[in-house]
PDB file of all heavy atoms in Angstrom:
ATOM      1  N   GLY A 122      23.738  13.477  -7.438  1.00 97.00           N
ATOM      2  CA  GLY A 122      24.150  14.704  -8.108  1.00 97.00           C
ATOM      3  C   GLY A 122      25.153  14.478  -9.228  1.00 97.00           C
ATOM      4  O   GLY A 122      25.048  15.100 -10.299  1.00 97.00           O
ATOM      5  N   TRP A 123      26.113  13.589  -9.003  1.00 97.00           N
ATOM      6  CA  TRP A 123      27.133  13.328 -10.024  1.00 97.00           C
ATOM      7  C   TRP A 123      26.529  12.645 -11.249  1.00 97.00           C
ATOM      8  O   TRP A 123      26.922  12.908 -12.385  1.00 97.00           O
ATOM      9  CB  TRP A 123      28.253  12.479  -9.448  1.00 97.00           C
ATOM     10  CG  TRP A 123      29.102  13.214  -8.463  1.00 97.00           C
ATOM     11  CD1 TRP A 123      29.188  12.995  -7.123  1.00 97.00           C
ATOM     12  CD2 TRP A 123      29.985  14.308  -8.746  1.00 97.00           C
ATOM     13  NE1 TRP A 123      30.057  13.884  -6.546  1.00 97.00           N
ATOM     14  CE2 TRP A 123      30.564  14.697  -7.520  1.00 97.00           C
ATOM     15  CE3 TRP A 123      30.337  15.000  -9.910  1.00 97.00           C
ATOM     16  CZ2 TRP A 123      31.481  15.744  -7.427  1.00 97.00           C
ATOM     17  CZ3 TRP A 123      31.244  16.051  -9.822  1.00 97.00           C
ATOM     18  CH2 TRP A 123      31.809  16.405  -8.601  1.00 97.00           C
ATOM     19  N   LEU A 124      25.562  11.766 -11.003  1.00 98.00           N
ATOM     20  CA  LEU A 124      24.870  11.096 -12.100  1.00 98.00           C
ATOM     21  C   LEU A 124      24.130  12.122 -12.955  1.00 98.00           C
ATOM     22  O   LEU A 124      24.229  12.111 -14.187  1.00 98.00           O
ATOM     23  CB  LEU A 124      23.878  10.077 -11.548  1.00 98.00           C
ATOM     24  CG  LEU A 124      22.930   9.422 -12.560  1.00 98.00           C
ATOM     25  CD1 LEU A 124      23.703   8.576 -13.551  1.00 98.00           C
ATOM     26  CD2 LEU A 124      21.881   8.587 -11.828  1.00 98.00           C
ATOM     27  N   GLY A 125      23.409  13.025 -12.302  1.00 98.00           N
ATOM     28  CA  GLY A 125      22.691  14.065 -13.029  1.00 98.00           C
ATOM     29  C   GLY A 125      23.621  14.982 -13.782  1.00 98.00           C
ATOM     30  O   GLY A 125      23.360  15.346 -14.938  1.00 98.00           O
ATOM     31  N   LEU A 126      24.730  15.343 -13.143  1.00 98.00           N
ATOM     32  CA  LEU A 126      25.696  16.243 -13.773  1.00 98.00           C
ATOM     33  C   LEU A 126      26.329  15.604 -15.005  1.00 98.00           C
ATOM     34  O   LEU A 126      26.469  16.250 -16.048  1.00 98.00           O
ATOM     35  CB  LEU A 126      26.776  16.630 -12.764  1.00 98.00           C
ATOM     36  CG  LEU A 126      27.859  17.607 -13.270  1.00 98.00           C
ATOM     37  CD1 LEU A 126      27.221  18.918 -13.706  1.00 98.00           C
ATOM     38  CD2 LEU A 126      28.913  17.844 -12.195  1.00 98.00           C
ATOM     39  N   ALA A 127      26.714  14.342 -14.900  1.00 98.00           N
ATOM     40  CA  ALA A 127      27.323  13.637 -16.037  1.00 98.00           C
ATOM     41  C   ALA A 127      26.363  13.572 -17.213  1.00 98.00           C
ATOM     42  O   ALA A 127      26.750  13.780 -18.376  1.00 98.00           O
ATOM     43  CB  ALA A 127      27.745  12.232 -15.617  1.00 98.00           C
ATOM     44  N   THR A 128      25.083  13.314 -16.924  1.00 98.00           N
ATOM     45  CA  THR A 128      24.080  13.232 -17.983  1.00 98.00           C
ATOM     46  C   THR A 128      23.832  14.604 -18.600  1.00 98.00           C
ATOM     47  O   THR A 128      23.686  14.733 -19.828  1.00 98.00           O
ATOM     48  CB  THR A 128      22.760  12.650 -17.426  1.00 98.00           C
ATOM     49  OG1 THR A 128      23.034  11.409 -16.766  1.00 98.00           O
ATOM     50  CG2 THR A 128      21.766  12.408 -18.547  1.00 98.00           C
ATOM     51  N   LEU A 129      23.794  15.635 -17.759  1.00 98.00           N
ATOM     52  CA  LEU A 129      23.605  17.000 -18.252  1.00 98.00           C
ATOM     53  C   LEU A 129      24.760  17.425 -19.151  1.00 98.00           C
ATOM     54  O   LEU A 129      24.542  18.025 -20.217  1.00 98.00           O
ATOM     55  CB  LEU A 129      23.483  17.969 -17.076  1.00 98.00           C
ATOM     56  CG  LEU A 129      23.395  19.457 -17.429  1.00 98.00           C
ATOM     57  CD1 LEU A 129      22.199  19.747 -18.316  1.00 98.00           C
ATOM     58  CD2 LEU A 129      23.362  20.307 -16.163  1.00 98.00           C
ATOM     59  N   VAL A 130      25.983  17.111 -18.755  1.00 98.00           N
ATOM     60  CA  VAL A 130      27.149  17.465 -19.572  1.00 98.00           C
ATOM     61  C   VAL A 130      27.075  16.761 -20.926  1.00 98.00           C
ATOM     62  O   VAL A 130      27.401  17.348 -21.964  1.00 98.00           O
ATOM     63  CB  VAL A 130      28.462  17.103 -18.834  1.00 98.00           C
ATOM     64  CG1 VAL A 130      29.661  17.204 -19.779  1.00 98.00           C
ATOM     65  CG2 VAL A 130      28.662  18.031 -17.645  1.00 98.00           C
ATOM     66  N   THR A 131      26.637  15.506 -20.914  1.00 98.00           N
ATOM     67  CA  THR A 131      26.473  14.775 -22.170  1.00 98.00           C
ATOM     68  C   THR A 131      25.482  15.497 -23.082  1.00 98.00           C
ATOM     69  O   THR A 131      25.740  15.674 -24.287  1.00 98.00           O
ATOM     70  CB  THR A 131      25.972  13.340 -21.893  1.00 98.00           C
ATOM     71  OG1 THR A 131      26.921  12.672 -21.066  1.00 98.00           O
ATOM     72  CG2 THR A 131      25.787  12.566 -23.194  1.00 98.00           C
ATOM     73  N   TRP A 132      24.356  15.917 -22.516  1.00 97.00           N
ATOM     74  CA  TRP A 132      23.351  16.649 -23.301  1.00 97.00           C
ATOM     75  C   TRP A 132      23.947  17.943 -23.858  1.00 97.00           C
ATOM     76  O   TRP A 132      23.770  18.254 -25.044  1.00 97.00           O
ATOM     77  CB  TRP A 132      22.135  16.973 -22.426  1.00 97.00           C
ATOM     78  CG  TRP A 132      20.981  17.558 -23.186  1.00 97.00           C
ATOM     79  CD1 TRP A 132      19.907  16.881 -23.679  1.00 97.00           C
ATOM     80  CD2 TRP A 132      20.804  18.933 -23.579  1.00 97.00           C
ATOM     81  NE1 TRP A 132      19.064  17.746 -24.345  1.00 97.00           N
ATOM     82  CE2 TRP A 132      19.593  19.011 -24.303  1.00 97.00           C
ATOM     83  CE3 TRP A 132      21.544  20.096 -23.384  1.00 97.00           C
ATOM     84  CZ2 TRP A 132      19.104  20.211 -24.823  1.00 97.00           C
ATOM     85  CZ3 TRP A 132      21.075  21.298 -23.909  1.00 97.00           C
ATOM     86  CH2 TRP A 132      19.863  21.343 -24.618  1.00 97.00           C
ATOM     87  N   LEU A 133      24.651  18.684 -23.023  1.00 97.00           N
ATOM     88  CA  LEU A 133      25.212  19.971 -23.441  1.00 97.00           C
ATOM     89  C   LEU A 133      26.242  19.808 -24.558  1.00 97.00           C
ATOM     90  O   LEU A 133      26.265  20.594 -25.510  1.00 97.00           O
ATOM     91  CB  LEU A 133      25.856  20.675 -22.241  1.00 97.00           C
ATOM     92  CG  LEU A 133      24.894  21.203 -21.169  1.00 97.00           C
ATOM     93  CD1 LEU A 133      25.672  21.679 -19.951  1.00 97.00           C
ATOM     94  CD2 LEU A 133      24.036  22.338 -21.730  1.00 97.00           C
TER      95      LEU A 133
END
Side-chain angles (χ1 to χ4, degrees):
W123 289 112
L124 172 65
L126 181 60
T128 307
L129 175 59
V130 169
T131 301
W132 188 96
L133 290 171

